[in-house]
Amino acid sequence: MQPFTGTFTQQEPIPESAIAAAVEVMRGGRLHRYNTEPGEIAPATQLEEAFATYQGARYCLACASGGYALSVSLRAAGVRPGDKVLTNGFTLAPVPGAIAAVGAEPVLVEITRDLVIDLDHLARRIEETGARVLMLSHMRGHLVDMDALTALTDAQGVTLIEDCAHTMGAKWDGRPSGGFGLAGCFSTQTYKHINSGEGGLLTSDDPEFMARAIMMSGSYMLYERHRAAPPPETFRDIRLETPNMSGRMDNLRAAILLPQLEMLDTNAARWNARHDAIVERLTGVNGLYLPHRPAKEAYVASSIQFLAPAFSPEDCERFVARLGAVGVELKWFGAAAPVAFTSNHHSWRYVPAQDLPMTDTLLATLFDMRLPLTFSVEDCQHIADLIAAEMGGGRV
Ligand SMILES: *Cc1c(COP(=O)(O)O)cnc(C)c1O
């Protein structure tokens, strides 16, 4: 078989319509979101309205990054230093980092072999720790049974904040991810579903929460220029008691995101065609486990994960090296030292060490591959064939 020659980190170019919109913003010189002419609606404001509509959310705030959206949501939810905040034991470092940023303490929860939070362990951790906030990470785009999850958090009085960095455009039973709790936090960083280099979006239906988040983001006394926002009365008291922790999005980023938002559902289908082509070829390959995707989950699979449960660490290393030699770039989450990014709780030393035997066992043989839209469906079939061949080609 021929080696694969594509680049796993190469995204598609920014669409021409977005480039034109960016040039227009630059020609006007008004890059700051509050630098508007009379009657002008800034691109940042337009983006907030468009994304709130897309999500079916009442309010939206455009931020400097996804990580900022996460930390500001904790602050606006009233999390105080020393509070305990529950989160998945398998997520990307910005999630425990956002909890640490507000001086709170991450309480890590086990995951299942389908890479979602373990609801039994979550229930136990809520009882043991008394934590009242869950920052649920839809890591690698896998949605937990949101009916069961919200039944548990509602019954226990736990506030839910969703990390939707990998689920922009995804739905559970027809309802957009990010709309199940107090807030949804999204990223528009280059490796997510719409690309402005850096950026974040925060959605909520709660007026007081959103008024606080808007003040914190650095709206000065200009909050009335926001449109996907609660009415000015909501800000009356909040505006003077809420510190400014600047983290605004600028008009240039917003301008290039607006046309991309219109393409999101089309691109979601393109990602899924690539993902599903690989799943089809790897299903039944001896020695591989592919996470189960429930019927209620409408995913946006910009990456793919699988486990090789019988592999030793040496097998995993050899597997990554041999596939790397034929151009297939796999991320292995079981490596002792973090490579490129950290999703293993043992490398978050600012978090009190926690015992997560199930998560450790799963991460030990978990592999991940990005699926940029610059790959064709045929490229993905080629990649899957190389992986299947490396597994010996046997089928169950
Ligand atoms: C990327 C990412 C974030 C944060 O996004 P940034 O915009 O890079 O700050 C949060 N959670 C997960 C799971 C991510 O992958």
Side-chain angles (χ1 to χ4, degrees):
M1 213 181 309
Q2 290 291 313
F4 179 67
T5 54
T7 309
F8 282 78
T9 48
Q10 182 58 56
Q11 305 299 329
E12 288 197 294
I14 298 302
E16 287 303 323
S17 55
I19 293 172
V23 169
E24 199 185 311
V25 169
M26 289 191 282
R27 290 225 161 91
R30 296 186 299 283
L31 273 68
H32 192 280
R33 67 169 298 163
Y34 300 121
N35 183 193
T36 49
E37 290 183 325
E40 185 184 13
I41 299 167
T45 307
Q46 291 178 38
L47 176 67
E48 288 165 347
E49 283 195 291
F51 194 64
T53 302
Y54 179 83
Q55 281 292 116
R58 286 173 79 185
Y59 312 125
C60 177
L61 172 66
C63 309
S65 72
Y68 184 85
L70 291 169
S71 61
V72 91
S73 71
L74 290 170
R75 278 211 175 83
V79 173
R80 315 278 311 169
D83 286 357
K84 291 179 164 36
V85 176
L86 301 143
T87 193
N88 311 45
F90 170 52
T91 181
L92 196 70
V95 179
I99 298 169
V102 301
E105 191 183 295
V107 174
L108 304 179
V109 183
E110 293 266 37
I111 56 162
T112 73
R113 65 180 195 153
D114 296 317
L115 308 183
V116 297
I117 200 161
D118 181 329
L119 294 174
D120 295 329
H121 192 235
L122 175 61
R124 279 208 303 284
R125 294 304 272 155
I126 292 171
E127 293 215 342
E128 286 164 7
T129 65
R132 296 266 71 84
V133 177
L134 166 63
M135 181 159 268
L136 174 67
S137 184
H138 302 301
M139 181 61 174
R140 298 329 257 152
H142 296 273
L143 291 172
V144 70
D145 179 338
M146 291 303 291
D147 304 321
L149 179 113
T150 50
L152 173 64
T153 51
D154 288 352
Q156 296 292 328
V158 168
T159 300
L160 171 64
I161 295 171
E162 293 174 76
D163 165 29
C164 303
H166 302 163
T167 55
M168 185 186 279
K171 295 187 173 80
W172 177 265
D173 203 14
R175 191 158 149 203
S177 96
F180 287 83
L182 174 65
C185 305
F186 300 81
S187 170
T188 64
Q189 190 236 76
T190 295
Y191 298 108
K192 314 299 161 96
H193 296 172
I194 55 178
N195 175 9
S196 59
E198 302 287 354
L201 292 160
L202 171 64
T203 57
S204 181
D205 290 339
D206 186 292
E208 265 203 43
F209 167 86
M210 191 48 88
R212 280 184 209 287
I214 290 171
M215 290 309 303
M216 284 172 188
S217 78
S219 62
Y220 310 112
M221 294 298 138
L222 301 170
Y223 49 83
E224 289 190 41
R225 306 242 187 116
H226 288 245
R227 289 161 66 98
E233 312 80 270
T234 318
F235 291 82
R236 198 175 301 133
D237 298 329
I238 286 168
R239 61 184 196 157
L240 299 177
E241 63 182 46
T242 308
N244 178 327
M245 303 170 177
S246 286
R248 295 170 301 268
M249 185 186 283
D250 58 89
N251 285 332
L252 193 52
R253 288 190 182 134
I256 71 169
L257 289 171
L258 273 159
Q260 294 183 63
L261 185 57
E262 285 173 29
M263 299 163 69
L264 178 56
D265 289 344
T266 305
N267 283 342
R270 294 173 65 215
W271 264 306
N272 290 348
R274 285 153 180 77
H275 167 268
D276 295 352
I278 295 181
V279 168
E280 196 185 307
R281 298 220 168 183
L282 292 187
T283 298
V285 167
N286 245 336
L288 292 186
Y289 177 77
L290 285 99
H292 171 67
R293 309 219 75 147
K296 284 188 181 177
E297 181 192 25
Y299 50 83
V300 181
S302 51
S303 65
I304 185 165
Q305 295 71 42
F306 55 86
L307 294 108
F311 274 15
S312 68
E314 295 71 37
D315 293 336
C316 290
E317 264 168 30
R318 203 175 317 121
F319 187 64
V320 170
R322 288 176 59 105
L323 281 165
V326 291
V328 176
E329 214 178 284
L330 286 184
K331 164 91 183 170
W332 172 41
F333 287 107
V339 182
F341 51 88
T342 69
S343 292
N344 190 311
H345 65 100
H346 294 292
S347 31
W348 310 331
R349 297 211 186 133
Y350 49 88
V351 175
Q354 294 174 48
D355 198 23
L356 300 170
M358 184 67 186
T359 301
D360 290 347
T361 301
L362 293 165
L363 295 188
T365 70
L366 175 63
F367 299 94
D368 181 279
M369 210 165 46
R370 284 200 179 107
L371 299 174
L373 290 174
T374 48
F375 290 180
S376 65
V377 172
E378 292 70 31
D379 287 339
C380 291
Q381 287 166 338
H382 181 187
I383 291 166
D385 289 342
L386 287 164
I387 295 170
E390 192 52 43
M391 291 304 293
R395 290 189 174 265
V396 279

